[in-house]
Amino acid sequence: MTIIKLFSSKYGEEEGKIKYYIIRNISEEIVEAKAGFFSCQLEFGLAVFINTCDRQLINEITGSIRFNLDRHAQISFTIAVSSVPGGIFDLNSLYCSVCKAMEHRYYYNININTVIEQNSVRPFQNWDAEGEAVKIELENSIERVIEQPDATGIRKVFSDAFHKIRQKNFVPQDVNQMFKDIFLKMKFKFDDFKRAVELLDTSGYSYVQQLEMLDTADEIEKLSVNVYTELTKQILYLRSRKDKKIVEVVKDYVAKHYSEDITLAKITGLVYVNGNYFSEMFKTCTGENFIDYLTRVRIDRAKTLLKDVAVKTYEVGMLVGYADPNYFSKVFKKVVGITPSQYRNIVL
């Protein structure tokens, strides 16, 4: 006894019914012409039981089904085949066997209609230390992309991960669980990632829910690349808005406190970000680093004060944040090209 199980891609309810009847009619017509059979409907597919174990005949039947569905129906599908010698009394073990064969469609190209035989598939590898190593490497790669958002790098991250996953042939359920775990961990660890998810998750199905609906590595890789790419773009947008607000706060603070002792540590403490991030962010938003900006504000203010004869030249430096007159004169000359005294003589 042999069972042929056909699995088509998921369609909408109405279209799915039409596709199912096309598959059933073509399959039963072909099998009826070649061997005795009976069929039954299964979730997302059709099972055809054939009263033979003749390999040549089975190959002819599956080849004909594949050819006709491909040519006349244009349906994406997978055919799984399993045989046992016990006939009708072994239907349960026969069905379990073909279901195991169908699970291997996870690693097949979804764009190529495929026949999978249970006796020829490579056994799945259980999730072990190698699986955890793949998970940790993928987590670290995704974290780097989130910390330094790079939408163009997402595709390579998942391409590399799935290359290792396909090589190891891990149990599909374990692979899907890994992607769910990593996604939820990123939401917990990064506030802007969580916010990006909330803003983009308006389709009715979350990434985790969509993972549960898909059953091939190709589909999951494509989904993951698309979702993480959009999330990365959203994170960049959110950080851009946040960064601009931070720059506005810093500029306002400098405008009011330029005469005081202002350090990078004081500024980063004011806006609650680390020094490296602030320095890169400020230069990205303004085109100049923070110290240069602070110096420019102070020197511009010094130029104004130097036009006021009531203010002594040495006092100007103190009024714009330079306690040492010599250092003030040195900085002023570096920026303007002449000393404060020379500048005053020119403008007065």
Side-chain angles (χ1 to χ4, degrees):
M1 176 70 72
T2 297
I3 181 172
I4 298 177
K5 183 179 180 183
L6 294 98
F7 185 106
S8 68
S9 298
K10 301 180 181 66
Y11 299 92
E13 184 176 353
E14 290 302 317
E15 187 180 7
K17 290 180 181 178
I18 296 172
K19 300 292 187 184
Y20 168 74
Y21 284 114
I22 291 174
I23 291 173
R24 181 166 187 165
N25 290 339
I26 289 177
S27 301
E28 290 184 351
E29 182 177 336
I30 291 170
V31 175
E32 185 176 19
K34 295 180 179 292
F37 78 98
F38 63 92
S39 64
C40 62
Q41 183 176 359
L42 304 170
E43 184 180 12
F44 303 123
L46 170 75
V48 180
F49 295 87
I50 307 172
N51 192 25
T52 182
C53 288
D54 186 321
R55 298 309 309 154
Q56 183 176 348
L57 179 57
I58 297 303
N59 289 339
E60 288 179 10
I61 291 172
T62 55
S64 183
I65 291 174
R66 181 178 180 181
F67 173 79
N68 282 278
L69 285 177
D70 206 14
R71 180 179 180 182
H72 300 297
Q74 297 181 336
I75 298 173
S76 177
F77 63 89
T78 304
I79 299 175
V81 180
S82 183
S83 300
V84 295
I88 196 169
F89 300 105
D90 276 334
L91 290 183
N92 184 58
S93 59
L94 188 62
Y95 176 70
C96 291
S97 177
V98 79
C99 286
K100 288 182 179 179
M102 186 60 80
E103 289 178 2
H104 287 268
R105 76 185 297 271
Y106 187 86
Y107 289 111
Y108 281 76
N109 188 333
I110 59 172
N111 296 316
I112 300 176
N113 293 331
T114 307
V115 177
I116 305 173
E117 295 195 31
Q118 172 62 12
N119 295 332
S120 64
V121 294
R122 180 162 62 108
F124 289 129
Q125 178 175 324
N126 290 326
W127 199 258
D128 52 13
E130 289 184 305
E132 285 302 311
V134 171
K135 181 178 181 180
I136 291 171
E137 184 177 352
L138 180 57
E139 278 183 6
N140 292 337
S141 297
I142 292 175
E143 286 184 8
R144 285 193 293 271
V145 169
I146 294 173
E147 290 168 350
Q148 299 290 331
D150 176 18
T152 61
I154 290 293
R155 187 173 300 278
K156 186 176 187 308
V157 167
F158 284 97
S159 176
D160 291 347
F162 272 97
H163 177 70
K164 294 182 177 67
I165 290 168
R166 288 185 175 93
Q167 280 187 323
K168 298 300 180 182
N169 207 49
F170 290 120
V171 176
Q173 292 86 343
D174 292 336
V175 176
N176 287 7
Q177 188 61 49
M178 176 190 72
F179 284 106
K180 294 176 188 177
D181 292 344
I182 291 176
F183 185 79
L184 295 175
K185 182 176 180 178
M186 296 304 110
K187 282 182 65 177
F188 178 80
K189 187 170 184 177
F190 297 98
D191 289 338
D192 45 9
F193 184 89
K194 180 180 179 181
R195 178 60 179 151
V197 170
E198 292 170 350
L199 290 173
L200 292 176
D201 204 8
T202 58
S203 62
Y205 290 110
S206 69
Y207 172 70
V208 172
Q209 288 174 313
Q210 290 182 73
L211 281 176
E212 294 172 351
M213 296 171 63
L214 302 178
D215 48 34
T216 69
D218 281 354
E219 292 172 316
I220 291 170
E221 181 177 355
K222 182 179 179 180
L223 170 69
S224 299
V225 169
N226 290 341
V227 168
Y228 277 89
T229 297
E230 290 305 311
L231 287 172
T232 303
K233 291 178 180 178
Q234 188 66 33
I235 289 170
L236 280 169
Y237 171 70
L238 291 172
R239 288 184 184 172
S240 174
R241 289 178 57 190
K242 179 182 177 182
D243 291 349
K244 288 177 181 177
K245 289 183 179 179
I246 290 175
V247 169
E248 289 174 4
V249 169
V250 170
K251 284 185 173 182
D252 183 63
Y253 180 85
V254 169
K256 295 175 180 177
H257 301 274
Y258 61 84
S259 62
E260 301 173 12
D261 180 26
I262 298 178
T263 63
L264 186 61
K266 181 180 288 187
I267 292 298
T268 55
L270 174 71
V271 293
Y272 303 104
V273 295
N274 68 60
N276 290 335
Y277 176 79
F278 173 78
S279 296
E280 291 182 12
M281 174 269 295
F282 191 89
K283 187 166 186 178
T284 298
C285 291
T286 66
E288 59 185 335
N289 64 50
F290 174 70
I291 298 302
D292 288 344
Y293 172 78
L294 175 61
T295 300
R296 181 167 60 80
V297 170
R298 284 172 165 171
I299 297 304
D300 285 347
R301 180 57 181 158
K303 288 179 180 179
T304 300
L305 291 172
L306 286 168
K307 296 175 183 178
D308 186 350
V309 294
V311 182
K312 304 295 184 183
T313 301
Y314 71 88
E315 293 177 330
V316 172
M318 297 182 65
L319 291 172
V320 296
Y322 296 102
D324 183 347
N326 292 328
Y327 182 66
F328 165 62
S329 181
K330 181 179 179 181
V331 173
F332 190 95
K333 185 175 182 179
K334 181 179 180 181
V335 175
V336 182
I338 55 178
T339 66
S341 297
Q342 290 171 329
Y343 180 84
R344 166 165 274 180
N345 291 335
I346 293 173
V347 298
L348 290 181

